[in-house]
Structure formats: structure tokens, C-alpha cells
Amino acid sequence: MTRGSGREHLARAALEAIAYQTVDAVRAQEAASGERLAALKADGGAVANRWLMQFQADVLGVPVVVPEVAETTALGAAYLAGIATGRWSGEQVGEMWREAAHYEPAMGEGERESLLVEWRRALERARGWAVPEGDGAAA
């Protein structure tokens, strides 16, 4: 940040951090499972931000798919209730899912890797920033 940083810079940094943290989580899952992610199905309020969804596809390097109903936690609970009461089968519930938007990665591999290297560098620089209470450090 500099004196010239404004709200728009903070907002963009927050959106980028969401995408970078998602990359970190996906890479950890891939390492644990030995499987590569083919596409990311995103949900929640953040899917309303088209810039974020495109950036997510770019830095992840896979398509990002957004459902018609963004709040899938509540929808999932309703589907489970419907399955439990015999209203729907698991197969029927799977057929109810509809895609609202699809974002393909448009960023080149070199640019993607450069951004991710800078993200990791920023994380390393931030480690140890806060001093735990009781360490004897002056406030």
C-alpha cells in the first residue's frame, strides 16, 4: 500500500486474496487426493462478482462454473430433506442443478505462475508479522 492506495485497491486486493486462497486450498486437496481438479463449481455471494469468477478461473487454470442458485447450502439442505422424505431421489436432485455462468481460463501459464509466485512471496513476507502476547516485545 502507498499513499495513493484507495478503496478500489483494497477491494481488488480482497478479491484477489479470495482467489489465491482458493488456489492454495485446491492444490492442497489435489496433493492429498492425487487427483487434478477438472473444474471448480463456485457458490455463495461471491459468485455475483464476474471479475472475481474470471480471475479465479485464470489463477486456478481450470473452468469455474456458477449455478443458477448461488446459495447452495440452503438449497442442499432442502434437497436432503426432499430425499429423506422420499420426494426426490439423489439422481433427481442431481438433474435439478443448472449452470448460470461458465468462466474459462484466459490467462497464460507464464502469467499465472508469475502471479502465484508473487502471492507466495507476499505470504512469506507476512509470516511472523504479529507478535503473540507475552513474548516480551514492546508494544
Side-chain angles (χ1 to χ4, degrees), residues 36-91:
R36 177 100 169 112
L37 182 72
L40 177 72
K41 287 186 175 180
D43 67 2
V47 301
N49 188 304
R50 293 187 309 264
W51 183 90
L52 172 59
M53 294 298 99
Q54 182 59 57
F55 187 69
Q56 184 68 80
D58 288 342
V59 295
L60 198 51
V62 299
V64 172
V65 182
V66 173
E68 280 183 350
V69 178
E71 299 304 330
T72 55
T73 301
L75 185 60
Y79 285 160
L80 286 174
I83 291 170
T85 60
R87 174 75 174 102
W88 299 307
S89 69
E91 185 177 307

Side-chain angles (χ1 to χ4, degrees), residues 65-125:
V65 182
V66 173
E68 280 183 350
V69 178
E71 299 304 330
T72 55
T73 301
L75 185 60
Y79 285 160
L80 286 174
I83 291 170
T85 60
R87 174 75 174 102
W88 299 307
S89 69
E91 185 177 307
Q92 288 172 311
V93 166
E95 292 170 357
M96 290 182 210
W97 190 92
R98 301 278 186 270
E99 181 180 305
H102 188 99
Y103 300 87
E104 286 290 330
M107 184 180 286
E109 185 66 31
E111 183 179 0
R112 176 182 307 114
E113 282 308 309
S114 177
L115 289 173
L116 292 172
V117 164
E118 289 301 311
W119 166 248
R120 287 186 216 98
R121 184 170 160 252
L123 289 178
E124 282 303 314
R125 292 184 72 171

